[in-house]
Amino acid sequence: MENLEATVKEALEMFRPQLQADGGDMEYVGIDEENRVHLNLTGACGSCPMATMTLKMGIERYLKDACPEIKEVVQDNAQNMDQMGF
């Protein structure tokens, strides 16, 4: 699990500049027992209506390529998006 976490963190660091270029960022929360990576999207990404697409089509796809054992990427602060009507 420690090796997986290290690989995931390294892959996230490689992806991070793409989020930062748009004024956003991400915060690593952890990996659960089902090999789902939990993140919080922050900055511009935290309130962007396209954040879910970025998460699934961008970060999740990138992470699955780097770490095939990852099943899914979950946005832990997504409930904020639901409250905003997105």
Side-chain angles (χ1 to χ4, degrees), residues 19 25-27 39-43 45-46 51-52 55 59 75 77:
L19 297 177
D25 208 342
M26 64 184 147
E27 187 178 274
L39 301 174
N40 287 325
L41 295 181
T42 60
C45 293
T52 301
L55 188 79
I59 301 169
Q75 184 181 352
N77 59 348

Side-chain angles (χ1 to χ4, degrees), residues 20 23-24 27-28 33-34 43-44 55 61 75:
Q20 291 174 335
E27 187 178 274
Y28 173 79
E33 61 281 348
E34 296 172 19
L55 188 79
R61 182 178 291 174
Q75 184 181 352

Side-chain angles (χ1 to χ4, degrees), residues 48-79:
C48 174
M50 300 301 286
T52 301
M53 186 175 292
T54 298
L55 188 79
K56 294 296 183 181
M57 305 308 271
I59 301 169
E60 183 175 287
R61 182 178 291 174
Y62 188 81
L63 268 182
K64 284 181 171 182
D65 284 346
C67 312
E69 49 283 49
I70 295 301
K71 301 291 182 232
E72 184 180 15
V73 176
V74 180
Q75 184 181 352
D76 278 7
N77 59 348
Q79 66 273 12

